[in-house]
Amino acid sequence: MAKESGRKLIASNRKARHDYTIEDVFEAGIVLSGTEVKSLRAGRASLVDGFVSFYGHEAWLEAVHIAEYVSGTWTNHPPRRRRKLLLHRDEITRLEQAVNQSGLTVVPLQLYFLDGRAKVEIALARGKKNYDKRQALRERQDNREADRAMSRRESQ
């Protein structure tokens, strides 16, 4: 059997980019059980409520839902269990200091397989206020309208 190569997206947290201003992005491995990997291969995961917490100089992914494996037995995993993230020591220290000092948070953006290994893309993020969200939405709509006007103008 040939080894899997490339990047295969499992789940994406689109709401995170709406609710947070992304400061910095990291890629981390995840410690998973066998039934979790099988469930991820079937594409059954949700990052919506996920966040990263720190305990004893380790990073943990919490509140991420990986559905139970359909064909699993008593060995099945709990869907929202805490999962350890695999990061370099200096990355963990940097993230932990940023969260403790400046009111930032760490949220998952994407869950994917990279060359057969499960990875999560996490981001150091700052929460947006409601007026920031409205302003970003307004800018996006203005850009769309300008693009439409330009394409109409070019087609005439």
Side-chain angles (χ1 to χ4, degrees), residues 60-127:
W60 297 86
L61 186 62
E62 299 199 38
V64 169
H65 186 271
I66 298 177
E68 287 186 348
Y69 183 54
V70 178
S71 302
T73 58
W74 56 272
T75 59
N76 237 336
H77 64 277
R80 287 196 182 267
R81 77 174 184 91
R82 183 184 299 163
R83 295 165 181 93
K84 186 175 179 180
L85 293 179
L86 305 173
L87 288 160
H88 291 283
R89 171 74 53 213
D90 58 327
E91 290 175 331
I92 293 173
T93 304
R94 186 169 150 215
L95 286 169
E96 197 171 6
Q97 287 175 351
V99 167
N100 290 338
Q101 291 176 1
S102 57
L104 298 173
T105 187
V106 181
V107 293
L109 297 178
Q110 292 183 334
L111 190 59
Y112 54 90
F113 282 109
L114 183 65
D115 298 331
R117 294 199 163 105
K119 303 282 184 180
V120 64
E121 186 176 82
I122 58 175
L124 191 59
R126 184 179 307 281

Side-chain angles (χ1 to χ4, degrees), residues 141-155:
Q141 287 175 341
D142 291 344
N143 288 338
R144 274 195 208 124
E145 288 175 15
D147 289 343
R148 283 190 199 120
M150 294 294 284
S151 66
R152 273 189 248 128
R153 180 103 173 128
E154 289 172 4
S155 65

Side-chain angles (χ1 to χ4, degrees), residues 14-70:
R14 294 173 56 198
K15 191 170 170 127
R17 294 196 187 273
H18 175 71
D19 291 341
Y20 299 96
T21 303
I22 306 301
E23 304 277 327
D24 204 359
V25 177
F26 298 88
E27 180 182 71
I30 320 169
V31 177
L32 298 172
S33 69
T35 54
E36 287 175 319
V37 175
K38 289 181 177 189
S39 187
L40 287 178
R41 290 208 185 280
R44 303 191 56 202
S46 172
L47 299 174
V48 174
D49 298 327
F51 63 97
V52 176
S53 59
F54 301 94
Y55 300 105
H57 301 293
E58 292 179 340
W60 297 86
L61 186 62
E62 299 199 38
V64 169
H65 186 271
I66 298 177
E68 287 186 348
Y69 183 54
V70 178

